Amino acid sequence: MIGYRVKMLREEKKMSISELSTKSGVAKSYISSLERNLQTNPTILVLEKIASILCITVDALLYEQVDHCMDDEWKQIMKDIMGSGISKEEMREFIEERKCTALEN
């Protein structure tokens, strides 16, 4: 199952096995074996390396949860919001107001 999820997520990101191997530092042959379920017991270190490149958590590889990474622009927006002093509740209220406005239009 882990191998299936690795392959699915890798292909979703339009990434080759070679590219995942280069970026993660995990051997191409190992990733291939993992995806074909020939290797079924990867170490946590291997899972961490692969998960990091696929922008998911190790838990998502193990338990079929999808946890896509925020892109850099969203991360910066979140940092700006957090640094501005806006509370979580104020942000939630803002979002709800925008939802209502969008529904009215």
Side-chain angles (χ1 to χ4, degrees), residues 34-75:
L34 186 63
E35 288 187 358
R36 291 180 292 135
N37 289 316
L38 300 175
Q39 175 56 258
T40 58
N41 193 21
T43 66
I44 293 296
L45 181 60
V46 166
L47 294 177
E48 287 173 343
K49 289 178 177 182
I50 291 172
S52 172
I53 300 307
L54 295 176
C55 294
I56 58 170
T57 63
V58 171
D59 281 351
L61 280 179
L62 296 173
Y63 306 111
E64 298 186 64
Q65 302 164 349
V66 178
D67 182 22
H68 297 283
C69 286
M70 269 192 261
D71 66 30
D72 290 338
E73 186 176 10
W74 274 111
K75 288 179 184 176

Side-chain angles (χ1 to χ4, degrees), residues 67-90:
D67 182 22
H68 297 283
C69 286
M70 269 192 261
D71 66 30
D72 290 338
E73 186 176 10
W74 274 111
K75 288 179 184 176
Q76 186 57 52
I77 290 168
M78 294 306 297
K79 286 179 185 176
D80 292 346
I81 290 170
M82 290 168 28
S84 73
I86 295 173
S87 71
K88 290 178 189 175
E89 188 55 41
E90 290 170 322

Side-chain angles (χ1 to χ4, degrees), residues 11 13 19 76 80:
E11 289 177 344
K13 294 191 176 293
E19 188 177 1
Q76 186 57 52
D80 292 346

